Amino acid sequence: MAAIELSGVRKEFGDVTALQGVDLSVEEGEVFGFLGPNGAGKSTTIDILLDFVRPTAGDVRVLGRNAQRDSLSIRDDIGVLPEGFHVYDRLTGRQHVEFAIESKGVDDDPDALLERTGIEPSARDRKAGGYSKGMQQRLALAMALVGEPDLIILDEPSTGLDPNGAREMRDVIREESARGATVFFSSHILEQVEAVCDRVGILRRGELVAEDTIRGLRENVSTGTVLTLVVSEVTPEAIEAVENVDGVSDVSSDRDTIRVHADNAAKTRVLDAIERTGVTVEDFATEDASLDEVFAAYTEGDR
Amino acid sequence: MSWTVVAKKDFRDALRSRMLWGLTVLFVLFMAGIAYAYTLFANQAPTGDPTVDSLGLVAFLSSPVSLLVPITGLVVGHKAIAGEVESGSAKLLLSLPHSRRDAVLGKVVGRTAVLSLSIVVGVLAGILVTLALYDTVDLAALAIFGVLSLVLGAVYTSIGVGISATTRDGGRATIAAASFFLVIEVIWDFVPWAVNYLLNGSFIPTGTPPVWFAFLGRIAPSSAYSYALNTYIPEAGLTGGMRLPDSILLSGGAALVILLAWLVLTPLVGYLRFNARDL
């Protein structure tokens, strides 16, 4: 059974189409990264999973149940860190977690959950309205973990977290996954999800443009190679020669290096072209396109 | 029963806010203050009867209470849902297993509990003053007065929450609550007259007013409250000697049914609106 199953999901807000026929399937037990630039429709999709927002068309199933009709029973079995939430300013951190525990009718230990998400004992009985954004995020994560949910939905979980906090967030995701939970989380930064995701989906302007492993994404995108050449001298003639090579998309240079974006096949031609102008290539290195570039290839331009 | 969890959370939230304490102080000052002021007033009454009587106090209190309680009820209730949706805390609430129905019901109960506690403490303070200073104290009448005031408070808190559920904008909820008060408690007073004018060419009916005329006049919650007080504490002599036709529509029971209808229907309408739209 799929933990999340969307088929043909459309959502229109007035005359704005937020989602245009999204099909997506997240398997039980997997960690799925839901990616896309801000405004692509990620939060709308998650809001539909939670029945905050009703789809204009299409079928949505969560844990095999209908996301609209069976929302209450679904929310019994999932944990959610929503995006753009606001804490109850006057309730303490502990009271928030207790509220989640009572709401789900379980008997978790609030302190154990707060401990896991890194809220210090001294902060637990303070009003959550005084928490920093990062602490509020940790608090909401603790609420999401209540009741060992089968599926955990995290909407932009790293918001407001420093690098250390983001790493702890990933640790919690791994622990939950090891327990057997399915984790579905959204992000607008591919690098953040690479370390933990089994698969990712990329949403762009309300359409799912990719659904694959990170490795698969890299292979599918012909972002080519970056060549870094250390040369005896950077001359205008050498730069011009490189720019004229077939398959070269971008050239930049500083004192003694030339950086070239090119197809894999263009590598030798670039070297030849430089040498022909009388400049010696002293050293060169090639590297794969960064994840940023892979992501950009899916989410920018006219693909 | 998830509404009980919501109600409890809402009440806890209010305990930590100044709202509960502010309201309690307000009602204590108001009830005890008026109970005391009434002793001065009764001593100078033109009837020449110097007894200070708690029944007279009920009559004296009914009109300001039917203004103060509705306004505080609306203030307490009108941001309950809209405020949470606007700020985003509704996302925390509704990502937990609470239906929107339970969210509305829990808010109604939680906020009603807050207002009720303030009213109870206020009424008790008033009763203490009467026990200390009054010649005769009719505790049963004061108890009926207290209970009906609680009902009026619950009605207006429910109306506030119901209004709050129809919008996701706190400012709009405030305007809607104020408009409700203006239309139902102020403008509505003229409706029976206007209808009579259309039917009979005069604003005020001649002789004993017809049943519909009197009934329309007690549709507004505070009117229904006044008529219920008048029915259940007749000794207080609230409405003077106005003669009314005999009809079940004009009974104390009917006034209670009107209050009950407001109590149930406005949150229901609010819930239906809330449930039908995106968060």
Side-chain angles (χ1 to χ4, degrees):
Chain A
M1 185 188 73
I4 295 175
E5 184 102 62
L6 280 77
S7 49
V9 174
R10 286 181 62 78
K11 177 62 189 179
E12 289 157 16
F13 293 104
D15 51 7
V16 177
T17 304
L19 297 176
Q20 25 198 357
V22 171
D23 300 304
L24 176 71
S25 177
V26 176
E27 292 307 312
E28 251 181 30
E30 84 178 330
V31 179
F32 191 93
F34 193 44
L35 294 162
N38 291 326
K42 301 189 299 292
S43 286
T44 301
T45 307
I46 289 177
D47 284 350
I48 288 175
L49 297 178
L50 302 175
D51 194 35
F52 290 176
V53 164
R54 279 71 186 245
T56 310
D59 187 51
V60 183
R61 306 204 140 255
V62 178
L63 300 174
R65 291 164 244 170
N66 182 297
Q68 280 78 53
R69 209 187 48 229
D70 305 323
S71 177
L72 207 54
S73 99
I74 289 171
R75 281 180 280 145
D76 251 325
D77 295 332
I78 67 175
V80 184
L81 169 55
E83 186 254 331
F85 68 89
H86 191 271
V87 296
Y88 293 103
D89 288 339
R90 289 180 294 268
L91 296 183
T92 66
R94 187 192 308 280
Q95 285 175 328
H96 276 79
V97 178
E98 282 169 355
F99 175 52
I101 290 170
E102 285 170 29
S103 298
K104 288 196 163 178
V106 294
D107 59 354
D108 291 12
D109 173 13
D111 279 297
L113 290 161
L114 290 163
E115 185 71 44
R116 271 188 76 190
T117 61
I119 298 205
E120 298 298 321
S122 62
R124 292 174 197 166
D125 291 312
R126 284 204 336 252
K127 293 180 181 182
Y131 283 12
S132 68
K133 183 77 192 84
M135 276 173 77
Q136 294 185 350
Q137 201 74 6
R138 289 165 186 268
L139 176 58
L141 178 63
M143 293 174 76
L145 298 179
V146 167
E148 301 211 326
D150 298 333
L151 166 66
I152 299 178
I153 296 177
L154 311 167
D155 198 352
E156 295 279 358
S158 318
T159 307
L161 293 178
D162 54 24
N164 196 35
R167 185 180 50 74
E168 287 174 31
M169 176 72 69
R170 288 194 291 272
D171 289 343
V172 170
I173 290 174
R174 283 198 197 91
E175 287 160 21
E176 290 299 298
S177 171
R179 176 175 66 75
T182 310
V183 182
F184 179 86
F185 74 100
S186 75
S187 176
H188 62 283
I189 304 167
L190 182 58
E191 251 111 5
Q192 283 181 348
V193 315
E194 184 198 11
V196 286
C197 282
D198 299 315
R199 285 197 311 136
V200 299
I202 297 183
L203 198 65
R204 183 193 177 204
R205 292 190 201 146
E207 268 180 299
L208 198 71
V209 292
E211 191 180 352
D212 207 340
T213 59
I214 300 263
R215 177 196 291 267
L217 288 183
R218 276 187 195 278
E219 283 168 0
N220 286 340
V221 177
S222 57
T223 48
T225 304
V226 181
L227 280 172
T228 308
L229 306 120
V230 180
V231 292
S232 57
E233 190 189 359
V234 175
T235 62
E237 293 77 26
I239 301 289
E240 201 189 327
V242 173
E243 280 170 350
N244 289 333
V245 171
D246 227 21
V248 167
S249 53
D250 189 35
V251 180
S252 61
S253 63
D254 57 30
R255 203 164 37 79
D256 61 350
T257 54
I258 302 176
R259 277 173 60 84
V260 183
H261 273 253
D263 296 346
N264 285 322
K267 199 158 68 181
T268 1
R269 293 203 297 272
V270 169
L271 291 173
D272 288 349
I274 293 177
E275 304 252 294
R276 268 203 300 275
T277 64
V279 172
T280 318
V281 176
E282 292 168 351
D283 193 10
F284 78 93
T286 59
E287 55 188 280
D288 280 346
S290 71
L291 277 174
D292 261 352
E293 287 164 319
V294 173
F295 187 48
Y298 277 103
T299 57
E300 288 163 17
D302 300 321
R303 275 176 60 100
Chain B
M1 294 294 276
S2 96
W3 63 267
T4 56
V5 178
V6 178
K8 189 177 144 199
K9 184 220 48 106
D10 212 48
F11 188 74
R12 260 182 159 181
D13 201 10
L15 277 185
R16 287 185 155 238
S17 77
R18 265 161 289 183
M19 183 167 79
L20 177 66
W21 308 112
L23 283 174
T24 306
V25 168
L26 176 72
F27 276 104
V28 166
L29 290 178
F30 176 78
M31 297 286 184
I34 289 193
Y36 174 70
Y38 181 69
T39 62
L40 308 176
F41 172 82
N43 279 325
Q44 297 181 356
T47 54
D49 176 8
T51 36
V52 184
D53 166 15
S54 67
L55 285 171
L57 173 66
V58 169
F60 195 67
L61 267 175
S62 71
S63 169
V65 164
S66 68
L67 187 67
L68 181 68
V69 168
I71 290 174
T72 49
L74 287 175
V75 169
V76 167
H78 82 286
K79 286 270 175 79
I81 302 284
E84 276 216 25
V85 173
E86 189 177 34
S87 76
S89 54
K91 288 187 170 184
L92 282 186
L93 180 71
L94 293 177
S95 62
L96 293 166
H98 300 292
S99 64
R100 296 193 191 184
R101 187 199 65 201
D102 283 349
V104 172
L105 185 57
K107 290 279 176 182
V108 166
V109 173
R111 306 257 158 153
T112 299
V114 171
L115 183 61
S116 297
L117 193 61
S118 307
I119 293 177
V120 165
V121 174
V123 168
L124 288 177
I127 289 176
L128 284 181
V129 172
T130 62
L131 288 173
L133 301 177
Y134 282 41
D135 299 317
T136 60
V137 177
D138 184 341
L139 277 179
L142 287 172
I144 293 172
F145 166 76
V147 168
L148 286 173
S149 302
L150 285 178
V151 170
L152 182 65
V155 165
Y156 261 98
T157 309
S158 306
I159 291 172
V161 175
I163 287 172
S164 170
T166 61
T167 171
R168 71 185 91 193
D169 180 313
R172 207 170 287 169
T174 306
I175 293 170
S179 307
F180 180 92
F181 186 82
L182 188 69
V183 169
I184 298 298
E185 292 293 352
V186 180
I187 296 175
W188 187 266
D189 283 351
F190 301 102
V191 167
W193 299 357
V195 173
N196 198 61
Y197 182 80
L198 291 175
L199 291 177
N200 303 321
S202 72
F203 283 107
I204 299 166
T206 44
T208 306
V211 172
W212 64 261
F213 183 87
F215 182 73
L216 278 184
R218 54 184 69 184
I219 292 280
S222 67
S223 309
Y225 163 80
S226 300
Y227 283 102
L229 272 183
N230 186 44
T231 310
Y232 296 110
I233 319 175
E235 314 84 31
L238 268 135
T239 46
M242 187 177 174
R243 278 187 308 114
L244 288 175
D246 214 17
S247 162
I248 191 161
L249 285 176
L250 304 180
S251 64
L256 291 182
V257 169
I258 290 170
L259 288 170
L260 189 69
W262 283 112
L263 183 75
V264 173
L265 293 179
T266 35
L268 181 66
V269 169
Y271 156 70
L272 292 173
R273 287 286 300 273
F274 184 43
N275 198 43
R277 68 177 158 83
D278 292 341
L279 198 62

